[in-house]
Amino acid sequence: MDIPPGLDAQRRLGPAWASWLDRLPRRCAELLADWDLRRDGAPEHGFASLVLPVRRDDGSAAILKVAFDGDD
């Protein structure tokens, strides 16, 4: 999964951000598998999160939001 450039730019905020961004593709893949979700569109982002449009097992639309987890 490609991280949107605007979110990837947060690497400038320090090593905790860089580490989270490096882990983010794998974490998203794990969450999608754990919750039986499939991607359904391009990722979006906020200042501190990745937002993925997804579909549930029953075909209904949902959003998977994965927030930055390294802020003290």
Side-chain angles (χ1 to χ4, degrees):
M1 179 194 72
D2 293 328
I3 298 170
L7 184 58
D8 197 54
Q10 300 301 58
R11 289 178 185 280
R12 66 180 160 65
L13 297 176
W17 279 89
S19 177
W20 178 70
L21 289 162
D22 290 342
R23 294 188 321 268
L24 189 56
R26 181 177 176 169
R27 182 66 181 140
C28 288
E30 292 169 347
L31 291 170
L32 291 168
D34 288 350
W35 294 340
D36 295 321
L37 302 172
R38 66 182 185 282
R39 290 182 54 186
D40 187 38
E44 299 287 335
H45 67 91
F47 177 81
S49 63
L50 180 74
V51 179
L52 289 175
V54 296
R55 292 274 170 187
R56 296 181 180 138
D57 254 358
D58 65 4
S60 61
I63 295 291
L64 175 64
K65 182 176 181 181
V66 184
F68 174 65
D69 63 1
D71 190 9
D72 292 336

